[in-house]
Amino acid sequence: IEDNYGGVYVNLTEPMTIEDFVPKLRASLVEWKIQEKKGIWIKLADGLDNLIAPAKTFLFTFGDLLSAQGFVCHHAEKEYTMLTSWISELPNTLPANASHRIVVGGYVLNKKTKEVLVVHEIDGPFKDTGVWKLHTGVIEEGENVWEGSLREVEEVTGLEPITFEIKKQDSEILDAKWMPIEEYVNQPWNQNKEFFKFLANICLKRSQEMEYMGFSTVRTTTSTGRESYIYCNTDQPNLLNATRDLASTSTPTSH
């Protein structure tokens, strides 16, 4: 399958011997080179591990030039291994494998009492520190930021949007409670650590309904029709939604 960047994506799912794989790979690379393809992606399904070594040690020549010196393992998941090779003389622009995880924190404020939901964690860097902190967790694969934040709060504290009752998760949380926002902000840990002081001050300003309002979530769709979200710094998300709807229904005018 040709990708959108002048390359080729190959998805191998059926068993194949090395004797069959290597000649087919060589013939395909010759054809792709003639077509001036750039990046080659080969996705090997689980069970095709026998093809990894020959692909990584494969040498491909086109004319008198060494056009490809084996494939490299780009990344691996439980279901597959992804190999890549760059066969163009142009600079290699294949993206590196994702190496970061997105961590989210749940800032839950009771506006009436000006109290924030905080936890004592059983494990992790805050174990036995006595620090009351916002609950944090890791975004799951394919999950949106706001969905992950809400899920983490609900899973660990049992808190639902319409109630203030806490039902903590015993496996991760030692204790959970509502704490006055000023008390949370003024904890020595938050005051002595620049990063946490910055976050605590954001929470304080939000509780006081000051100028900082953070990002608003605007639901939209991509060019392929997939649901997506834009996170932007505004306190008027309804205006943004109206602008989006207007843009999607307006007709260009010729001059």
Side-chain angles (χ1 to χ4, degrees), residues 106-125:
Y107 171 56
V108 184
L109 176 71
N110 184 331
K111 289 186 176 181
K112 292 183 178 180
T113 64
K114 298 297 182 181
E115 292 178 317
V116 62
L117 180 64
V118 293
V119 298
H120 269 163
E121 294 179 338
I122 294 177
D123 297 312

Side-chain angles (χ1 to χ4, degrees), residues 177-219:
K177 69 175 184 178
W178 292 99
M179 174 182 282
I181 183 64
E182 291 82 4
E183 183 180 347
Y184 162 72
V185 171
N186 291 325
Q187 291 182 100
W189 179 275
N190 287 337
Q191 291 301 310
N192 297 330
K193 305 291 184 180
E194 182 181 22
F195 177 81
F196 291 93
K197 184 175 183 178
F198 188 83
L199 293 180
N201 285 336
I202 288 177
C203 295
L204 180 62
K205 291 183 181 296
R206 287 299 302 267
S207 71
Q208 297 171 343
E209 298 183 356
M210 297 178 68
E211 291 183 0
Y212 183 82
M213 296 303 294
F215 285 164
S216 296
T217 304
V218 181
R219 186 171 65 181

Side-chain angles (χ1 to χ4, degrees), residues 61-163:
T61 57
F62 187 78
D64 296 329
L65 300 176
L66 181 65
S67 297
Q69 190 166 353
F71 282 71
V72 297
C73 181
H74 186 268
H75 66 276
E77 299 289 347
K78 292 181 180 179
E79 301 83 8
Y80 69 88
T81 299
M82 184 69 75
L83 306 177
T84 62
S85 182
W86 185 261
I87 64 173
S88 172
E89 279 72 43
L90 296 173
N92 188 339
T93 58
L94 290 177
N97 181 36
S99 59
H100 295 70
R101 293 186 300 173
I102 300 177
V103 176
V104 294
Y107 171 56
V108 184
L109 176 71
N110 184 331
K111 289 186 176 181
K112 292 183 178 180
T113 64
K114 298 297 182 181
E115 292 178 317
V116 62
L117 180 64
V118 293
V119 298
H120 269 163
E121 294 179 338
I122 294 177
D123 297 312
F126 291 92
K127 179 182 179 180
D128 299 328
T129 62
V131 175
W132 289 97
K133 62 182 288 290
L134 304 180
H135 174 65
T136 55
V138 179
I139 292 292
E140 295 181 351
E141 184 177 356
E143 190 174 43
N144 285 293
V145 172
W146 71 267
E147 292 174 323
S149 302
L150 186 60
R151 173 186 52 77
E152 283 290 343
V153 170
E154 292 178 346
E155 284 182 356
V156 176
T157 67
L159 189 71
E160 297 182 357
I162 59 175
T163 179

